Each structure stands twice: as C-alpha cells, then as structure tokens.
Amino acid sequence: MYLAADGRPDAPPRTPGARRRVPAAVLALGTVSLVTDVSSEMVTAVLPLYLVLGLGLSPLQFGFLDGMFNGATALVRLLGGRLADRGGRHKRVAGAGYLLSALSRLGLLLAGGATAGIAAALAADRLGKGIRTAPRDAMISLSGPPESLGRSFGVHRAMDTTGALLGPLAAFAVLWATADAYDAVFAVSFCTGLLGVLLLAVYVPAVPPAAAARRPAPARTALRDPAFRRVLYAAVLLGATTIGDAFLYLLLLRGLDLSPVLFTLLPLGAAAVYLLLAVPAGRIADRTGRPAAFLLGHLALLGVYGLLLAPVSGPTVVGVLALLGVFYAATDGVLMALAAPVLPPHGRAGGLAVLQTGQALARLLGAAGFGAAWTFWGQRPALWAAALALAGALVAARRVLPSRTAAPAPVPPVEPS
C-alpha cells in the first residue's frame, strides 16, 4: 500500500506505464508459488498410485488420510495469519510454511512403507500450506494500490496454476526416466521445494512498515467490521453450495464411462482455462466491481450444475471444464482482492485467514452434504438440490454484498520504534 509521510493512504506515484505494471513483489511471490506448486503437484500426481498400488493401502485408508489433513489445513490458517500480523512477520511465517511443505517431501522419501511416517509427511505438507496461505495473500494485497488488487491476484493465481499444470508432467517425466522409481519423484520434489524457499528469501521484500504493528489486530476485530462480515457471509453461504471438483469429475466419468487414464486428465482442462482467464478476470473485476465478478463466477458454477443435469456428451465435458475454469478465475483471487482493502494492514493476514477458513469449512460441509444426498437420494436428485441451493445462495449473496468494491480501510499512523 502507498503511504503518505503521516502514514495515511496516499495515491500511488504517477509514472508512465504505472497502471500496467504489476508490483515486483507480486511477480516474486508468483514465481515462488509456481516453483512450489511444481513440487507439490509432482507428489499429488503420484501419491494415490504410490500408496494404493505401491504400498497396498486401501482406497478407504488413503481417503481417510487425505481428507483428514485437508480439513486440518483450513483451521491452521488462523494460526498462520495471527503469527504473520505479529510484528509484520508475513515473510517469515510464509517462509516457514513453504519450508515445512518442502521438508514433507523428504519425509515421504525417508518414510519408506511406514504408514505412520507417511501420515506425518502428509500432515506436514498440509500444515505448511495452511500456514503460508494467509501471509502470502496479505503480502500480495500490501504490495500495490488497492484499485489494482484484482489484477495482482490474477497474475499470482495464473503463475500458481502454471506450476500446478507443470507438476504432473514433471512427475511422469521422472517416473518414465527412472522406470517408475517413486523415490526419485520425492527427491526431485524436495529439491524443487527448497528452490521455492530460496526464491522467497532472496527476492520477496518484507511488508511495508504500516503492517508491522507490535500489537496485531485479533481476528475478532475483523468480524466487528460490517463490510468484512458481509464479504465473509457471502463467501460462506456460496461455499456451502459448492459440491467439490471431485464430485463434478466423477459425474462426468459416470456419464461418459471414461477410462481412469482420461479421468486423471480432466482437472488439467479446468486448470488451463483458469490459467488463461485469471489475469483478464482480475482486471475486469477491478474495472467493473469485484462483488459482481465474484457473483458471476458462481453463476458459471451454476451453469456447470445445469450441464450435468442434461445427458452427458463430449460437448458437455468441454462446457463443464470451461465453466469450472471461469468459476475459479472469477472467484479465487477476486475474493481476496474484495476483502483485503477493508482490513487494516496490521490485521490483514489474520482477517484473510478468517475468510479463507470460513470458506474452506463451508465447502467441506457442502461436499459432505452432497455426498450424503447422493447416497440417500441418488445422483440426479442430489444435483438438483445443489443447483437450487446455489441459485438461492446467489440471490441471498447479491443482497449481502455491496454493489461496488469497498473503499480501503484507514491505515493508522506508523508508530515510532
């Protein structure tokens, strides 16, 4: 954020091309996320094969491990946000999260076939991801003027998604070159993760002094702000009607009777659309209003539900993947850009952590509810219920969210050290 001499918000300096330039800190954080996602997705791509086919774990055991640690990620974000706001330690806390995730690959390498060691390594990876997310997003929001946050988050998410696309390709290249040696994948992933930590340490600058308050604003302070509560309520309401990508891909699999090999390629289609649209969606949100962009993204998700209610065909698959990419492009970074300006710099990481945790838990409940409805009612009635719930949530969220992007929160004067 740009500050005047008295510590209050000031207009950014007017230089030629300034409106088109992405802050260097955002590009550096995007590079860190790209490298780290290559490391993470290398492991994610081969982990089911390694655990189920290589070590003989049952799908139930694998699902339990993966689901339990994914749920824990949502809660640990609160801790990461709180620690980051204490003295402006965003970079250090984010770095600890990245390092913990990198070390988890070494844990997989050393665990061998021990289930306890594998569980500890998975826990370390999820904890690292949870710790770093809010501080990283807070650094992005503090690196440039509020009016261009949509573009900044769009650039970061596009670079992050590039890593997610390259990771599986790198994993299969290593497996091909080493005759299915999973240890080689874990070793390369560990080295790549350490490279991400090094890039963070060397190229990502520290947060502005205004965010380094000695007494960070507690999470409950953000909840007292009416503007932030409106964003949080809308995110939780809409998140509870999001059934999860795994179910969407499973519905496509059943509708077309796809082979397992083709099934694993479905996420790449949605990720490619997300990559292409993340930056344009962020720029459009900055110009036309982030609340409207956020709602339109969920309208695209409603279109996904509608397509799946019709007979599934080849064009249906293309439409579902395209609309799912639009959904993520118009909601993921846009939500952070929508909420960040109403949070004070010294409490931004904690506030974003509350928002991310609320949305993640709501999505977890939404996926669980859809799974239960599918089990008891059947596939089609469950999908109809999800579509009607999302339509109702869109109407309610439209009333909750402001019509335009909220004004930046006032910045307190920088206290002398």
Side-chain angles (χ1 to χ4, degrees):
M1 178 175 290
Y2 293 92
L3 304 176
D6 59 359
R8 291 177 295 182
D10 195 12
R14 298 292 182 181
T15 57
R19 296 186 64 182
R20 297 188 298 273
R21 190 179 304 124
V22 177
V26 174
L27 295 176
L29 284 167
T31 304
V32 172
S33 292
L34 189 157
V35 172
T36 302
D37 254 33
V38 171
S39 171
S40 299
E41 295 303 323
M42 286 182 68
V43 173
T44 301
V46 303
L47 199 59
L49 299 175
Y50 174 65
L51 296 181
V52 177
L53 300 182
L55 300 182
L57 268 67
S58 69
L60 178 62
Q61 290 174 312
F62 171 71
F64 174 77
L65 288 174
D66 191 58
M68 180 177 64
F69 295 130
N70 275 327
T73 300
L75 297 176
V76 80
R77 289 176 182 174
L78 297 174
L79 175 63
R82 177 66 177 174
L83 292 175
D85 285 332
R86 189 181 296 276
R89 299 171 181 170
H90 302 72
K91 181 177 177 178
R92 278 182 284 177
V93 174
Y98 281 113
L99 180 60
L100 187 59
S101 290
L103 292 176
S104 72
R105 325 293 189 237
L106 184 61
L108 286 172
L109 189 62
L110 299 177
T115 304
I118 294 170
L122 290 176
D125 177 49
R126 300 304 193 270
L127 290 174
K129 183 176 181 179
I131 288 172
R132 70 179 183 253
T133 300
R136 180 204 65 200
D137 284 350
M139 285 192 288
I140 293 172
S141 71
L142 293 166
S143 298
E147 63 269 16
S148 64
L149 283 183
R151 180 186 59 179
S152 293
F153 276 102
V155 169
H156 175 269
R157 295 313 196 252
M159 298 178 74
D160 184 88
T161 306
T162 301
L165 288 171
L166 293 176
L169 299 177
F172 287 113
V174 173
L175 286 177
W176 178 79
T178 60
D180 294 339
Y182 292 103
D183 287 353
V185 175
F186 299 149
V188 174
S189 174
F190 169 63
C191 295
T192 307
L194 285 184
L195 175 61
V197 177
L198 179 62
L199 291 173
L200 176 76
V202 175
Y203 292 106
V204 176
V207 298
R214 295 178 180 176
R215 293 184 178 181
R220 61 179 178 272
T221 301
L223 294 175
R224 295 194 189 109
D225 188 300
F228 177 77
R229 286 203 308 269
R230 292 164 73 180
V231 176
L232 176 63
Y233 294 159
V236 169
L237 185 63
L238 292 167
T241 61
T242 303
I243 66 177
D245 294 356
F247 282 119
L248 298 178
Y249 298 142
L250 187 57
L251 290 169
L252 290 176
L253 176 68
R254 290 199 166 194
L256 285 181
D257 194 23
L258 294 174
S259 68
V261 174
L262 293 178
F263 175 75
T264 60
L265 298 178
L266 290 176
L268 297 181
V273 176
Y274 181 18
L275 171 62
L276 293 174
L277 297 182
V279 177
R283 293 176 64 91
I284 292 172
D286 287 336
R287 294 178 180 177
T288 63
R290 294 163 196 159
F294 186 65
L295 294 175
L296 286 174
H298 283 86
L299 188 62
L301 181 62
L302 184 60
V304 171
Y305 295 175
L307 287 176
L308 290 172
L309 284 168
V312 178
S313 61
T316 303
V317 175
V318 176
V320 166
L321 297 181
L323 287 176
L324 194 58
V326 171
F327 162 66
Y328 281 114
T331 58
D332 187 13
V334 171
L335 178 60
M336 297 298 103
L338 175 60
V342 303
L343 295 166
H346 59 285
R348 187 160 296 178
L352 292 181
V354 170
L355 177 61
Q356 293 165 355
T357 300
Q359 184 187 49
L361 292 177
R363 287 181 171 179
L364 187 63
L365 291 175
F370 180 78
W374 189 342
T375 301
F376 293 108
W377 300 342
Q379 173 182 315
R380 191 171 180 81
L383 193 54
W384 267 113
L388 292 174
L390 178 54
L394 275 168
V395 174
R398 176 63 183 84
R399 297 178 64 87
V400 171
L401 283 174
S403 58
R404 295 287 299 177
T405 301
V411 181
V414 180
E415 298 180 2
S417 57

